[in-house]
Amino acid sequence: MTTSQTLCAARTLLAALALAAGSAVAQTWPTLALPPDANAFGLGETIVANGTPMRVQVFVSARSPATLAAWFRQSLGAPLVESSFQNKLVLGRQIGEYYQTVQLEPSALGTRGLAAVSHLKAAQQNHADTQASLGRWLARMPAGTQVAIDLRSQDGGKVSLYRVVVNTQTETLNRERLTRLMAEDGYTLERTGGPDENALFFKGPGKEAMATLHRDNEGRTSIAINTVSATEPFK
């Protein structure tokens, strides 16, 4: 995947999640009901997308998007916000401090969907801490590094992070800076892999990580990092 494709995928994913506008820790989360025939699975207990904690389910149904949209309009109730991008329909509704979002898109077997519940107030409260944490992380990467995706999830006591960053520096410089950063955070580089040795595998006490680097024809380098740990993956 090229850097442009990575950024496009990142924007699409974050647009879907951002439309779920905020979420959090807190009291009782409202339930977002799914159609009886939907096959669903959750993405961990809590997901944090760019500082916004939320609870997300992905589901599939044999029914058409139009049929499901009618079902959700009745289930969610009014007032309802509707929008679309590409071939996806997004339905949203605010309930107190929470925001419910449903995204529907056609698939070969019917409909593929995403249902998210977010907490607006917590997103606002987390904003400063999130930006400060990202700022400290970016300060240790090459100049001009920008975050395209920052997703965290917690499930069964494990914290997972998927982060994609992009800059115009060389793969060599990015590899050196990332290896140093990971070492500062308690990770040891165990091995490299891939056709150009552009996959890096790290391990630390109770945690592990993998990173891949790719430089495209436009002179941009993308770094995708995936970590799984029992605590916060980065300082």
Side-chain angles (χ1 to χ4, degrees):
M1 179 181 287
T2 66
T3 303
S4 296
Q5 290 172 323
T6 299
L7 288 172
C8 181
R11 293 189 185 103
T12 299
L13 174 62
L14 291 177
L17 292 175
L19 284 167
S23 124
V25 212
Q27 315 97 337
T28 304
W29 291 59
T31 300
L32 204 169
L34 299 179
D37 69 318
N39 294 314
F41 63 92
L43 303 181
E45 297 170 359
T46 306
I47 287 180
V48 182
N50 286 1
T52 298
M54 58 184 65
R55 294 183 177 181
V56 179
Q57 293 185 87
V58 175
F59 63 91
V60 293
S61 170
R63 291 197 266 178
S64 69
T67 302
L68 286 182
W71 189 93
F72 277 110
R73 288 186 184 104
Q74 182 174 5
S75 175
L76 291 171
L80 199 62
V81 177
E82 297 193 23
S83 60
S84 60
F85 63 100
Q86 298 178 359
N87 62 339
K88 301 174 179 64
L89 173 66
V90 179
L91 309 175
R93 183 183 180 220
Q94 183 172 345
I95 302 179
E97 295 181 353
Y98 294 87
Y99 197 87
Q100 297 179 320
T101 301
V102 174
Q103 175 185 290
L104 305 171
E105 63 178 310
S107 71
L109 300 178
T111 301
R112 178 169 51 249
L114 178 148
V117 179
S118 318
H119 192 249
L120 299 170
K121 184 176 180 180
Q124 295 169 351
Q125 293 172 338
N126 292 345
H127 180 74
D129 289 342
T130 299
Q131 293 306 306
S133 176
L134 277 175
R136 289 191 296 271
W137 191 90
L138 290 173
R140 296 185 287 165
M141 289 294 288
T145 301
Q146 296 182 331
V147 176
I149 301 178
D150 186 57
L151 296 178
R152 296 168 187 257
S153 65
Q154 185 171 352
D155 193 10
K158 292 290 186 179
V159 177
S160 300
L161 179 141
Y162 177 65
R163 179 174 289 168
V164 178
V165 298
V166 179
N167 60 45
T168 57
Q169 307 297 336
T170 66
E171 284 188 45
T172 300
L173 178 59
N174 276 291
R175 186 181 293 107
E176 292 174 351
R177 291 290 183 86
L178 181 61
T179 301
R180 183 194 308 168
L181 181 156
M182 298 298 283
E184 291 172 353
D185 290 338
Y187 292 86
T188 300
L189 177 63
E190 286 204 317
R191 61 188 174 91
T192 60
D196 300 313
E197 299 294 307
N198 62 353
L200 311 177
F201 298 87
F202 300 89
K203 200 156 191 179
K207 56 189 177 183
E208 58 186 3
M210 183 186 77
T212 58
L213 297 90
H214 173 76
R215 189 163 179 83
D216 66 14
N217 295 329
E218 299 171 358
R220 294 182 297 185
T221 302
S222 61
I223 305 100
I225 307 160
N226 193 33
T227 72
V228 179
S229 65
T231 57
E232 283 297 307
F234 298 122
K235 296 176 181 178

